Amino acid sequence: MEEQNLPIDINSSKLLEWLLNRRHCKKDWQTHILSIREKINNAIQDMPIHEEIAKLLSGTHINYFHCKKIVEILKETEADTKNLFGRYGSQRMKDWQEIVKLYEKDNLYLAEAAQMLIRNINYEVPGFKKQIQKLEQIQNDLEKKEIEYKKSENIAHSEFNTSCKQLGINGNCIKKELVERLTELPEIYKRVAKKTKSLGNVVEFYNAFVEFTLGRKHSGGCISLVQYVVEKGNTTTYEWIYGEPPLSVIETPLDISLDDESQFDDNIDFGDNEKEEGNISGLDLNGAIDFGDVNLAAEGDIDWGDVNVEQIGEGEIDYNISLESGIVVEADGHDGGVATGKEALTVLDNPSTRNEFIDQLFELEAFLKLRLYEFKSDNNKNLLTMSQMQEASSILQLATLDSTQNMLDNLQIILTEMLDSRIQHLYNIKHSPRYVDTLTATLKQKLTMVEKMKSLQTTMQKKKDETRQQIVDIQPMLKLVVQRTKELQNKIEEDISKKYKNRSVYLTGGVNTL
């Protein structure tokens, strides 16, 4: 095969090295290029307004082939400055013709073009592509954040609705609705007292057992308060203490202000939306109220804090209620039996008697469970042997597994109702203004969290739009750089081909592989 027909393959990344090794260019070419670039910068300041020239100068750095094209364009725009000898009098033409001549000396243009080609292939085009990939990744991250914020919004909203349902309120005016629900407490206590009357046989059974095991009646009674409610119902504490109903009852008014219903919205600072960038999993909620480690995925009952029925006792919580005696004592004794302060409260509502009532219910429950265990055990392991039981009262002798289980079931119904979370909330609201404030703030936090998540979703959507627009702006630039690089590669191939008697020249690994 003739040499003329063999193509010349040159690796694009080795192009400059190939030109220097074959002495097409000198090794010190860069020192001469600097002066040419300076002349180009000066000449480009004085260019005629021409659409094709503007198009040439966009996309990549100007090179020798651009300069030749500019000279061709100036031949048309500066034609009126041409003299009889065919020379142009225009300084523009002279400047650009000089630049072309300087480029062609020692093939400086070819070395510079090779360097530009390598830079575009190795840096410019990959740089644009990496930038687009990075923006696309940011866009995907923003979409994930938006989905997470939407999920958090739904969870917070669901928790708010669940909490309101547990409290029996609509959630429109939280504090007011909570206080209004206190009117249900008397009816609830009345219902509990009515059910407690069914525990008469339990009280009798327990007292008989205590009397039998001790050999005597227990002074004061172990479950005196439960027995009292069975017999008298939910009376005032005054009647429980003094054994007679008061002539009048003066209840302490509620110390709950409804004027500050909106104060929690002003005091809660959830931070600045701008600080959330890059922080999806842990929101930095700064301000008067700290959420701590918020587990938005938690299910079930809502934890309202450390206040519970076990804490409600004498001296543990400040109820802002006077501890002074409810009886006004004068020289001749009780002044008409006026019940005030705590003594005006019913025994199921008074913190001390309420706790005592619940404790006694637990005591009865433990007793009945033990009796059931004895019934289910072998006879020789019973606490009371058959011979001993013959000396016991009839209620103890007639007790069976079924009757004891029935008593336990009735007792647990009352105990469950007394410990119901809704009743405890109402009880705490009535006796602790701080509790209702905390409960209101907790619910408002959930609403604020919903709004926070909505705001963050809006922010994510705006950032997604901005990122999408950046991608749209970069893509034409990438396309133009690729196009200019292909043109430059073709020019270099044609130029090298001329130096080798028009043999085919191919630059491998060029822009087409990107």
Side-chain angles (χ1 to χ4, degrees):
M1 182 181 291
E2 296 182 4
E3 184 181 359
Q4 182 65 28
N5 296 328
L6 291 175
I8 300 175
D9 293 331
I10 307 172
N11 190 300
S12 297
S13 60
K14 304 285 186 179
L15 176 58
L16 184 56
E17 183 180 346
W18 187 89
L19 292 172
L20 295 176
N21 289 340
R22 284 156 181 77
R23 301 185 184 279
H24 291 295
C25 305
K26 293 184 177 180
K27 293 183 179 181
D28 62 345
W29 65 272
Q30 288 183 323
T31 58
H32 302 288
I33 283 294
L34 295 176
S35 60
I36 298 176
R37 301 305 304 181
E38 185 177 354
K39 288 182 180 294
I40 291 175
N41 290 334
N42 294 333
I44 210 169
Q45 304 298 325
D46 182 30
M47 293 295 293
I49 300 175
H50 194 280
E51 183 179 352
E52 194 169 351
I53 292 178
K55 191 176 180 181
L56 274 175
L57 299 178
S58 63
T60 57
H61 296 291
I62 189 170
N63 56 53
Y64 164 76
F65 302 105
H66 293 148
C67 295
K68 285 187 67 176
K69 186 66 176 177
I70 290 174
V71 170
E72 294 299 322
I73 295 172
L74 290 177
K75 286 180 180 180
E76 299 177 5
T77 60
E78 308 297 320
D80 55 346
T81 65
K82 193 174 183 180
N83 57 27
L84 295 174
F85 300 99
R87 295 183 178 179
Y88 291 87
S90 170
Q91 185 61 40
R92 290 173 180 168
M93 179 62 80
K94 291 179 180 179
D95 291 340
W96 286 103
Q97 285 178 334
E98 181 184 3
I99 290 171
V100 170
K101 288 180 180 179
L102 290 173
Y103 257 133
E104 291 174 347
K105 185 179 181 182
D106 297 328
N107 292 326
L108 291 176
Y109 73 92
L110 198 54
E112 185 192 52
Q115 186 188 55
M116 286 183 175
L117 179 67
I118 295 171
R119 183 175 65 240
N120 286 354
I121 293 173
N122 293 339
Y123 302 103
E124 295 292 334
V125 175
F128 280 118
K129 288 188 175 181
K130 287 181 181 178
Q131 193 173 357
I132 291 176
Q133 289 176 354
K134 183 178 180 180
L135 291 171
E136 288 175 344
Q137 182 61 45
I138 291 174
Q139 195 170 27
N140 292 334
D141 292 341
L142 291 172
E143 288 178 358
K144 290 180 181 178
K145 284 185 180 182
E146 188 176 6
I147 293 173
E148 289 178 2
Y149 292 143
K150 181 62 178 178
K151 182 179 178 181
S152 298
E153 176 200 343
N154 293 336
I155 291 174
H157 197 271
S158 176
E159 287 183 352
F160 175 79
N161 290 336
T162 302
S163 302
C164 289
K165 186 176 180 180
Q166 288 178 353
L167 295 169
I169 61 176
N170 295 324
N172 298 325
C173 190
I174 299 172
K175 197 171 186 181
K176 182 180 178 182
E177 292 176 16
L178 289 173
V179 174
E180 287 176 348
R181 285 216 55 221
L182 294 179
T183 57
E184 300 177 21
L185 274 177
E187 186 61 32
I188 293 173
Y189 291 147
K190 183 179 179 181
R191 185 171 65 249
V192 172
K194 185 177 180 180
K195 291 181 179 179
T196 304
K197 290 185 178 297
S198 66
L199 300 182
N201 58 341
V202 180
V203 173
E204 185 181 358
F205 184 42
Y206 182 77
N207 286 334
F209 185 87
V210 172
E211 182 179 353
F212 178 75
T213 54
L214 293 179
R216 56 182 174 81
K217 288 187 177 182
H218 188 275
S219 59
C222 299
I223 50 171
S224 56
L225 188 55
V226 174
Q227 184 171 350
Y228 177 83
V229 175
V230 169
E231 296 173 355
K232 299 285 188 177
N234 184 33
T235 68
T236 61
T237 307
Y238 178 97
E239 185 173 350
W240 156 252
I241 295 174
Y242 300 106
E244 60 180 14
L247 296 179
S248 62
V249 178
I250 303 176
E251 294 187 5
T252 304
L254 291 176
D255 186 18
I256 300 176
S257 174
L258 299 179
D259 297 333
D260 57 347
E261 179 75 18
S262 62
Q263 71 177 355
F264 302 100
D265 295 330
D266 300 330
N267 293 338
I268 300 174
D269 180 11
F270 289 93
D272 190 352
N273 288 352
E274 296 299 326
K275 294 180 181 179
E276 58 76 34
E277 293 186 21
N279 184 12
I280 304 173
S281 60
L283 297 177
D284 185 16
L285 306 178
N286 300 319
I289 294 179
D290 180 18
F291 279 149
D293 296 331
V294 181
N295 182 8
L296 296 176
E299 297 179 355
D301 293 335
I302 307 302
D303 182 12
W304 302 108
D306 296 331
V307 180
N308 52 54
V309 69
E310 286 78 9
Q311 290 176 309
I312 302 174
E314 197 90 31
E316 293 189 24
I317 298 180
D318 181 10
Y319 300 101
N320 292 326
I321 298 176
S322 173
L323 298 179
E324 296 179 1
S325 173
I327 304 302
V328 180
V329 181
E330 295 191 0
D332 56 350
H334 301 309
D335 184 18
V338 179
T340 61
K342 284 190 174 183
E343 292 180 355
L345 300 173
T346 64
V347 291
L348 295 183
D349 193 35
N350 190 316
S352 58
T353 53
R354 171 189 170 87
N355 285 345
E356 186 178 349
F357 178 76
I358 293 173
D359 289 343
Q360 291 181 13
L361 289 179
F362 278 123
E363 184 176 345
L364 285 173
E365 182 187 38
F367 165 73
L368 292 174
K369 286 182 177 179
L370 181 59
R371 296 301 299 158
L372 283 174
Y373 174 78
E374 292 174 3
F375 278 122
K376 295 175 182 179
S377 301
D378 295 335
N379 290 334
N380 59 354
K381 295 182 181 179
N382 288 347
L383 294 180
L384 298 176
T385 63
M386 294 298 295
S387 59
Q388 290 175 319
M389 288 299 295
Q390 292 176 358
E391 301 175 3
S393 62
S394 59
I395 191 171
L396 290 178
Q397 294 185 37
L398 297 176
T400 63
L401 176 66
D402 292 337
S403 64
T404 306
Q405 182 65 56
N406 185 59
M407 286 189 286
L408 179 61
D409 293 341
N410 292 335
L411 178 89
Q412 288 179 333
I413 290 174
I414 299 170
L415 193 56
T416 300
E417 188 158 357
M418 282 297 293
L419 298 177
D420 182 74
S421 60
R422 184 178 300 185
I423 297 177
Q424 290 191 65
H425 285 313
L426 293 177
Y427 173 77
N428 292 338
I429 289 169
K430 180 177 180 179
H431 294 284
S432 176
R434 182 179 299 177
Y435 180 85
V436 71
D437 289 344
T438 303
L439 188 57
T440 304
T442 302
L443 290 173
K444 284 181 177 286
Q445 285 175 12
K446 297 182 186 299
L447 285 180
T448 309
M449 177 63 77
V450 171
E451 297 304 317
K452 174 75 173 178
M453 294 301 104
K454 287 181 179 179
S455 175
L456 289 175
Q457 289 176 65
T458 302
T459 302
M460 294 302 102
Q461 186 60 50
K462 290 181 179 178
K463 290 183 177 180
K464 278 171 55 181
D465 293 340
E466 293 173 0
T467 305
R468 188 180 299 109
Q469 187 58 48
Q470 290 180 37
I471 294 174
V472 171
D473 294 339
I474 292 174
Q475 284 176 338
M477 297 170 60
L478 171 62
K479 185 177 180 181
L480 183 59
V481 171
V482 171
Q483 180 185 343
R484 292 282 187 258
T485 305
K486 286 182 178 180
E487 293 173 357
L488 180 61
Q489 181 172 312
N490 292 334
K491 292 289 185 183
I492 294 173
E493 288 174 344
E494 292 173 3
D495 196 274
I496 295 176
S497 176
K498 293 176 182 178
K499 298 181 183 299
Y500 288 89
K501 299 178 181 180
N502 294 325
R503 285 175 63 184
S504 299
V505 176
Y506 298 105
L507 294 178
T508 61
V511 72
N512 294 325
T513 62
L514 296 176

